[in-house]
Amino acid sequence: MARRTSTSALTRAYQRGLKALTKATLTTTKRITGQVTRQVTRAAAEQRKPPPGAGEWIGGIAIGPGGARGYHLYRPPGLVLAAGEKLPLLLMLHGCGQTGRDFAASTRMNRIAARERFMVLYPEQDRLHHPQGCWNWYETRSGKADREAATLMAALDQVIALYPVDRARVAVAGLSAGAGMAALLATRYANRFAAVAMHSGVAPGAAQSTASALGAMAGRRAPAMPTTAVGKAIGAAALGTVLPPLLVLHGDADTVVASSNAASAAAVWAAATGARAGTERVVQRGQRHPMRVTDFKRAGRVHVTLGQIGGLGHAWSGGAARFAYTDAAGPDASKLVWAFVARAFKLDDAAQRN
């Protein structure tokens, strides 16, 4: 009898302990869940906020062969358009680990857009399509890269249909994975872009899969020089097309994407356009990192500009200091990109008039 009473007491004590443990676990879980929810909510709210500066930050979603992608369009403040006037547009593609808002804030491209009167489109990679938020520029063998490129073009076409964009004055620029995708867009849809800028990206045609992309990033793969108008090194879809002018910016201290990719990108683009390298010159403003600049020309026109920046790592040169993947000590890449793009727009306008 005493043994039965003892067993019953132990059972009740166990049940009380289990109840207390369950209650404590539920309380802790609820607290942690609440904290995570608040953090996620704050992060989501932060990404919805417009980047610093005046102007409109307009959200949208585009659907294409690669699925759905969100985007934001920056429209400068106080725009008063003349009858029939349309504005230039710069498509900006962020790097891995970034969002469109991050890219806008860190590059400060919107400040230039407000001053020079152009719009900026910031598509955003979905983490379901890439866990690190990278554009799939390298998956050409499987077709994934081309489907994603087509979806980005759907976003561009949607914006052109909804807003006063001049189709003849559209350019694309990107950082890292965004640079790879910018080059892919410019080869697959060459007639849609007046200029392209690659910052810290892998040379076009150097990778066709995840494995080859890693090798190319490390500098172990380089594209073969094209033997036809463009050649399979850049992509069969570009055969017979006229490639837009290319600006290549890359830091010589980049440990993520080997700096050798910069020279390879310039060389393959120059070979595809029949351009020849001029004399290298060194440009430096004040205490900023120096930059070695080489122009590749054909018939007096610059088809490629290569800017190799001393001491710059894997970062947007001259970007806002408080953001990741920027180096405020470098030459202002945003100004360099816009100057290159604006020059291409003017040359195209002159060619059309003649």
Side-chain angles (χ1 to χ4, degrees), residues 211-229:
S212 57
L214 293 173
M217 289 172 64
R220 295 193 298 269
R221 292 178 60 90
M225 290 299 105
T227 55
T228 58

Side-chain angles (χ1 to χ4, degrees), residues 252-311:
D252 65 11
D254 193 332
T255 58
V256 177
V257 176
S259 60
S260 59
N261 278 284
S264 293
V268 73
W269 212 268
T273 55
R276 294 183 177 274
T279 303
E280 180 182 276
R281 62 190 187 278
V282 177
V283 177
Q284 185 172 18
R285 294 182 180 277
Q287 298 302 310
R288 289 180 179 269
H289 298 317
M291 179 170 63
R292 294 180 289 120
V293 181
T294 305
D295 289 325
F296 296 73
K297 296 181 180 181
R298 179 170 61 83
R301 180 170 179 175
V302 174
H303 287 267
V304 183
T305 293
L306 169 63
Q308 297 169 291
I309 303 169

Side-chain angles (χ1 to χ4, degrees), residues 43-175:
E46 182 69 19
Q47 288 304 324
R48 285 195 298 269
K49 282 171 52 181
E56 295 180 84
W57 186 245
I58 307 165
I61 297 177
I63 300 175
R69 297 294 189 281
Y71 65 79
H72 280 92
L73 175 71
Y74 173 75
R75 192 161 60 174
L79 282 179
V80 179
L81 300 181
E85 182 185 4
K86 294 189 175 183
L87 299 178
L89 182 140
L90 178 60
L91 173 61
M92 289 280 283
L93 299 173
H94 64 73
C96 299
Q98 292 182 311
T99 64
R101 184 188 185 280
D102 293 338
F103 201 36
S106 62
T107 62
R108 296 179 289 203
M109 186 62 79
N110 292 352
R111 295 198 311 186
I112 299 174
R115 184 175 68 244
E116 302 294 337
R117 295 181 81 249
F118 64 93
M119 290 187 276
V120 192
L121 177 60
Y122 298 94
E124 191 159 314
Q125 177 63 296
D126 191 315
R127 297 301 173 111
L128 293 176
H129 291 89
H130 196 289
Q132 285 77 46
C134 307
W135 297 105
N136 291 294
W137 56 273
Y138 49 87
E139 292 282 4
T140 54
R141 188 173 296 155
S142 68
K144 188 173 184 178
D146 288 292
R147 290 191 294 272
E148 195 158 273
T151 298
L152 288 170
M153 293 305 295
L156 176 61
D157 287 337
Q158 183 170 303
V159 167
I160 290 174
L162 294 173
Y163 301 96
V165 174
D166 184 350
R167 286 179 174 269
R169 292 187 293 165
V170 176
V172 57
L175 171 66

